[in-house]
Amino acid sequence: MTLKPKKIDWYIFKKFITTFVMALLLIILLVIVFDINEKIDDFVEKEAPLKAIIFDYYLNFIPYFINMYSPMFVFITVIFFTSRMAANSEIIAILSGGVSFHRMMVPYLVASMMIALFSLGLNLYVIPSSNVKRLAFENQYVKSKNTMVRNVHYQIAPGQFVFVESFSSWNNTAYKFTLETIEDNRIVSKLSAESAAWDSTNASWKLRKYFLRNYTEGLEDKVISGATIDTTIALTVDDFYRNSQTVQKLGFDDLGALIKTQKMRGDSNIIYAQIEAHNRFAMPLSAVILTIIGVALSSRKKRGGIGWNLAIGIALAFSYILFQRFSQMFVMTDVLPPFIAIWIPNLLFAIIAAILYRMSPK
């Protein structure tokens, strides 16, 4: 089997890429129209500038949307143009001309791999930086920033533990703040305060109504109290905002560093970073898997024609996305570790792809 490109390879490749790009542009336009209709009241109420709407939001929304749904677009694209080829007896002509089904798959795989690499590049280098502007716009003009985080427990450094009953994003203040220092399995000091307000100028915390207890090895403990005190620790206000949104803004190296830090701290929010890290590789690979399924399903001429194939394709594409969302719930509920949960959809659909491929016409 020669892999040297033939006319039929270029024919399939061009159909694949052209149909994919056209479908993508059409869907993006429709989504933008529906999104504007949904958010127009927020834009008007909060007086969002037109320049910010176009360049800060929608210009950065497009790569985010493309990457999130590119596997589904790839799948529907393959189903659509391959079904048309089958309906026009082009697939039969290709196979009758001495080209094996395996050889016919080559341009499909090359095109899907190119799209997968493009998606991976967006994931690693483009989308994190574009998400910074997009999410900043959403927080300012669309969503309310006033949130409350409760029962925070962090190990901010070896032997240093922070406990916070609640944190308000409205005034960047932690309430019922406690800092414990432990050495050789013994509490050395305990700093408690009614509240701890973040001072962005000095990058420190201003504690109000504080009590500092230093535990000695003898019978006497030293207690210091006061109205206010400033303290600098390895904890910033950003640590309270670590969620599914904030990890989307981090580059791959920064995301890895955050996971390492959160593991040391025992931070439960680490699941957001771990899900994001695995998704950045799992999503692009799904384009190749779904391409194989799409060709196997639509390469035969059916009575139902293109409509029937498209219906099956859309159903499978949405089932993949739905299954992927469910797999993230397994991580959130601590049923499965992130690596296994995020890669399960790809593994399952890879098995389906292998079975369908073996059943496809040879």
Side-chain angles (χ1 to χ4, degrees), residues 61-305:
F61 173 80
I62 290 173
Y64 169 77
F65 180 81
I66 289 174
N67 183 71
M68 177 174 288
Y69 294 103
S70 62
M72 184 180 71
F73 295 145
V74 167
F75 194 37
I76 295 174
T77 295
V78 170
I79 291 283
F80 178 73
F81 84 84
T82 306
S83 294
R84 290 193 63 181
M85 289 175 63
N88 296 330
S89 301
E90 293 179 70
I91 301 292
I92 295 175
I94 292 171
L95 298 178
S96 300
V99 178
S100 68
F101 188 79
H102 303 296
R103 180 62 182 82
M104 190 188 73
M105 282 295 301
V106 171
Y108 282 99
L109 293 176
V110 170
S112 64
M113 286 178 185
M114 287 180 61
I115 293 172
L117 288 174
F118 175 71
S119 176
L120 182 61
L122 287 178
N123 265 337
L124 297 181
Y125 303 108
V126 177
I127 292 176
S129 57
S130 69
N131 277 343
V132 174
K133 292 183 178 179
R134 180 181 66 84
L135 294 173
F137 179 92
E138 286 184 352
N139 289 329
Q140 183 173 358
Y141 297 110
V142 180
K143 299 177 180 178
S144 174
K145 294 179 63 179
N146 187 16
T147 57
M148 183 72 74
V149 180
R150 298 187 180 277
N151 299 321
V152 176
H153 305 271
Y154 286 151
Q155 179 180 210
I156 59 174
Q160 275 196 324
F161 298 86
V162 165
F163 304 93
V164 173
E165 184 176 288
S166 62
F167 175 82
S168 173
S169 61
W170 180 74
N171 55 2
N172 286 337
T173 300
Y175 297 95
K176 300 297 182 182
F177 175 92
T178 301
L179 173 65
E180 292 183 353
T181 302
I182 299 176
E183 294 180 1
D184 298 326
N185 297 320
R186 185 178 66 87
I187 296 179
V188 176
S189 65
K190 182 176 181 179
L191 176 61
S192 303
E194 284 293 318
S195 65
W198 175 249
D199 185 349
S200 58
T201 305
N202 300 318
S204 63
W205 294 92
K206 183 178 287 296
L207 275 58
R208 296 183 177 88
K209 295 183 180 180
Y210 73 92
F211 289 87
L212 173 61
R213 182 183 295 271
N214 292 308
Y215 297 93
T216 64
E217 294 185 358
L219 297 177
E220 294 183 1
D221 296 334
K222 296 180 180 179
V223 179
I224 303 173
S225 62
T228 62
I229 188 176
D230 292 336
T231 183
T232 302
I233 56 177
L235 182 74
T236 68
V237 70
D238 291 336
D239 291 308
F240 291 97
Y241 292 96
R242 302 296 186 194
N243 53 35
S244 58
Q245 275 198 349
T246 55
V247 296
Q248 294 175 15
K249 300 185 288 187
L250 300 178
F252 189 70
D253 292 338
D254 293 334
L255 189 61
L258 174 63
I259 292 174
K260 184 177 179 180
T261 300
Q262 289 181 321
K263 279 184 179 179
M264 183 271 295
R265 290 179 173 178
D267 190 348
S268 60
N269 287 333
I270 192 175
I271 58 176
Y272 297 116
Q274 290 175 326
I275 288 173
E276 179 70 16
H278 289 296
N279 265 335
R280 291 186 183 184
F281 289 92
M283 285 289 288
L285 181 60
S286 64
V288 180
I289 297 171
L290 292 175
T291 294
I292 298 172
I293 295 177
V295 177
L297 283 174
S298 57
S299 56
R300 280 181 176 168
K301 197 171 183 179
K302 296 184 178 68
R303 286 187 177 181

